[in-house]
Amino acid sequence: MGEREGGCCPPMDLMRSEPMQLVQLIIPIESAHLAVSYLGDLGLIQFKDGYDFRGFGFMIWHKQTWAVDEDPCPSNRDQCLAVFSQLNAEKSPFQRTYAIQIKRSGEMARKLRFFRDQMSKAGVVAQVRSPGEAIANLDDLEVKLGDLEAELVEINANGEKLQRSYNELAEYKLVLLKAGEFFSSALSNAEARQREYSSNQGGEESLEIPLLSEQETTDSSKQVRLGFITGLVPREKSMAFERILFRATRGNVYLKQVAVDEPVVDPVSGDKVEKNVFAVFFSGERAKNKILKICEAFGANRYSFSEDVSKQSQLITEVSGRISELKTTIDAGLVHRGNLLQTIGEQFEQWNVLVRKEKAIYHTLNMLSMDVTKKCLVAEGWSPIFATKQIQDALHQATRDCNSQVEAIFQVLHTREMPPTYFRTNKFTTAFQEIVDAYGVAKYQEANPGVFTIVTFPFLFAVMFGDWGHGICLLLATLFFIVREKKLSSQHDITQLTVLDDCLNIRLYKSVIYKNCEASTIGLIKGRDTYPFGVDPAWHGSRSELPFLNSLKMKMSILLGVAQMNLGIILSYFNALFFKNSINTWFQFVPQMIFLNSLFGYLSLLIIVKWCTGSQADLYHVMIYMFLSPTDDLGENQLFPGQKTLQMVLLLLALVSVPWMLLPKPFLLKMQHERHQGEAYAPLPGTEESLQSAANHNDGHGNGHEEFEFSEVFVHQLIHTIEFVLGAVSNTASYLRLWALSLAHSELSVVFYEKVLLLAWGYNNIFILIIGIIIFICATVGVLLVMETLSAFLHALRLHWVEFQNKFYEGDGYKFYPFSFFVLDTEEE
């Protein structure tokens, strides 16, 4: 689980999860809130929902010990169970005891989220530690948050109204200026035409004057007066606006538009929009109504306008004055709002922590059951055994601080329920434990693969990555991540893993004890002492380099795989020994060890002997004919005396181990079930014994209180046997990925070096050399330092999850999630 610091806890033991106990707390109501608060600070108890308790009265009855001075249980046992079953009546969340307080805390949390959004928009940063005065209690905080919210909402509403008025006046001023130009221009043109017409009337007769003009009379009743509408329309909609106006009025309008130089703030949306000032001239009420609807549909803001030039100048002056006044008022409001948000920001974190803690406390109190007297709350939960004194001290402290006359009661319950799994980790071990937990949480107190993953995961990663120079590059990058740990905390686990991988990321395949004998035909012979690391450089560039490295890496991969699989089987033995399961010890561990080592353990022995002796024996031939012709002579493939006899014995043991795994276990489980029949009403065992019994539970094949299906057990064991036999072959072959990825990494490194860097160097051209260096760096970083790192990580993950953990790890437990304010503070709300 999480990290624990301090000297009150015993040393961490990752091999087995912490011993857990089911505890019952009986807390007086007056001290319940403070007790839960102290337990949240402690973070060492996982509460169970009291409304989901099952068998509560049964456990109390069989325990035959009561937490009060007088036995409250009536003489009638059934009546006693009925009394306690009332505590378990199912209720909806809204019917529970502290539903009102939770709703109240939720409302305060909503107000704080509102404050946080407002501060984020205003650029105000909440202070980590508040210098302001502390809030006395939740009631005072609730009143203060309500007052601040009301004030802030009022300021925002007033500010929005003022800002909208300001934007409307700014648009109105633009309309007055731009539309005034329309009318000024039209008036100038009309006056010029009038002067021209007057001059033509007083001079000679023009050919343009109609012949019947002298006979025309003017009827004032038939004159048509044009109306007009002015406003602003978004520029992106102006073309569509013009087309719709033309079609709706059948061309009986005149539209004049002019673009505004700079974007204006729209009063409705508050966004800056590029707009055009328009003036639409029309005739008749029907056309006017159509135009108004079209303006509304296109979001065109309309403003009144006067044809009188003197009135236009007066309006512009008045609007400018009002704009200046509104600007001053808005600025003053923003200053006041900023000061208010700054005041909130000074204590925001303190309020937020308090509200979240209160909400968590009341959620936890709702998980407790009210006793029949309505004076105490009954809680059940899991806690580590080492935390007993700390929990009791927290309860006593809550009683003293509340001046309660009644002490809270702490007692351990006996149960067959599976406890949660709890490992105390630190920054170093958390990352590896998370790798194991991603596959499955360990069953209570089964052997934890995380202990070995700390060593084997970076080791196998280094085997596949296997380059000292690239490892240094990754190490430098991960050291940078560690320096920026706080900012990259969400990626810190993977950073820790990468650092550990890099530290071990040297050439695993050291020089062994061979030197290159290219001119010789006698094969590999013993040479000088080994190099500090790496392979003998004499192999580099030789024709036999690749075959030698292939053989070396492939054989070493098999050795590593067989060693890790044997470790997994050995851990299954320790699991069986810990849970006192002799059936698994003799009919699972022993035959599995015999089968694996009779075949692949023997192959590993042959590899080591061949390396030590420099023999040219063909190990493929030896292993194949060990099955096909076990009695034939080995000839030149014999590595040591008595090899033929040993092979026949190992083959016989491998054949015997298969029925050994399959047949005895189901029959023994059936005999065990029949022997335990009739013990359904036996007294409950002690706590530790019962927990181990529940944890082991005969591999899930049933217990004395369940029906035993022999056919299901037999089929299950058959599948398990087939899976192990076939898996021993496939898992061993799977470890060859160590060889494949190491070979791929080394060959890619050679290709990029020779075909890119050296090739560019050979042109003796600085421009080509720079391009070659850039390509080489990009290929090295992208392929070797990124893709190959990810590939090696994923393959190492698979080797641990499938090839190693399936030998012993069930992973069907569940995590210990204590009620902790520390976790609450680090989680997103």
Side-chain angles (χ1 to χ4, degrees), residues 65-320:
T65 57
W66 299 94
V68 292
D69 296 334
E70 297 180 0
D71 189 347
C73 187
S75 58
N76 188 328
R77 178 178 180 275
D78 295 333
Q79 185 178 355
C80 176
L81 294 179
V83 170
F84 281 100
S85 65
Q86 293 175 2
L87 302 179
N88 309 319
E90 294 189 3
K91 296 181 181 180
S92 69
F94 302 102
Q95 295 173 325
R96 298 194 179 188
T97 308
Y98 295 94
I100 296 177
Q101 287 82 350
I102 291 177
K103 183 179 179 181
R104 177 185 171 195
S105 301
E107 180 64 18
M108 287 190 288
R110 181 198 62 78
K111 294 174 183 177
L112 288 172
R113 289 194 297 270
F114 170 69
F115 294 155
R116 182 174 56 195
D117 293 340
Q118 294 295 312
M119 289 190 298
S120 177
K121 293 178 182 178
V124 177
V125 179
Q127 296 184 7
V128 178
R129 294 193 177 274
S130 170
E133 59 183 25
I135 299 298
N137 53 49
L138 204 63
D139 295 331
D140 295 341
L141 179 59
E142 184 178 24
V143 172
K144 187 164 187 176
L145 292 182
D147 294 340
L148 289 173
E149 183 190 31
E151 184 178 359
L152 188 56
V153 167
E154 184 179 0
I155 291 174
N156 290 342
N158 294 335
E160 289 175 2
K161 290 179 181 178
L162 292 173
Q163 189 65 46
R164 179 163 183 167
S165 300
Y166 177 85
N167 295 333
E168 288 176 347
L169 288 175
E171 286 193 346
Y172 189 23
K173 184 177 180 180
L174 288 173
V175 170
L176 291 175
L177 293 173
K178 298 294 183 181
E181 294 176 0
F182 297 161
F183 286 88
S184 297
S185 176
L187 182 61
S188 299
N189 293 334
E191 291 175 349
R193 289 184 180 182
Q194 181 66 32
R195 287 192 299 269
E196 181 182 358
Y197 178 74
S198 300
S199 63
N200 289 336
Q201 289 290 337
E204 297 179 356
E205 186 177 352
S206 175
L207 295 177
E208 300 296 329
I209 300 176
L211 295 176
L212 300 179
S213 59
E214 296 177 356
Q215 302 176 2
E216 292 179 352
T217 58
T218 303
D219 187 355
S220 60
S221 63
K222 294 183 178 179
Q223 289 182 355
V224 177
R225 183 173 179 83
L226 294 178
F228 62 90
I229 296 175
T230 56
L232 292 96
V233 64
R235 190 172 302 170
E236 60 181 10
K237 301 179 180 179
S238 60
M239 296 301 295
F241 179 67
E242 183 175 355
R243 288 195 299 268
I244 294 298
L245 282 176
F246 182 83
R247 292 175 183 175
T249 60
R250 299 183 179 182
N252 293 319
V253 294
Y254 176 72
L255 175 66
K256 183 71 174 177
Q257 294 190 74
V258 62
V260 178
D261 296 335
E262 297 180 357
V264 296
V265 180
D266 187 77
V268 178
S269 64
D271 300 329
K272 284 190 174 183
V273 183
E274 292 183 343
K275 291 188 175 184
N276 291 350
V277 175
F278 69 90
V280 184
F281 297 89
F282 60 90
S283 175
E285 286 297 322
R286 181 177 296 182
K288 178 180 180 180
N289 293 333
K290 288 182 179 179
I291 294 170
L292 291 176
K293 291 180 179 179
I294 293 171
C295 289
E296 185 178 352
F298 277 83
N301 300 327
R302 295 173 284 107
Y303 298 95
S304 62
F305 185 81
S306 176
E307 300 179 53
D308 191 343
V309 177
S310 61
K311 288 184 178 181
Q312 291 177 15
S313 301
Q314 183 180 357
L315 282 174
I316 292 175
T317 303
E318 291 178 358
V319 169
S320 299

Side-chain angles (χ1 to χ4, degrees), residues 515-558:
K515 65 180 182 179
N516 186 7
C517 302
E518 190 160 345
S520 176
T521 59
I522 61 174
L524 301 175
I525 61 174
K526 294 191 66 173
R528 58 181 176 270
D529 294 336
T530 61
Y531 292 89
F533 65 90
V535 182
D536 190 333
W539 289 101
H540 181 67
S542 64
R543 288 181 297 174
S544 56
E545 177 189 8
L546 190 58
F548 168 73
L549 292 179
N550 269 340
S551 176
L552 176 65
K553 294 181 179 182
M554 181 177 62
K555 290 180 174 64
M556 187 164 286
S557 298
I558 293 175

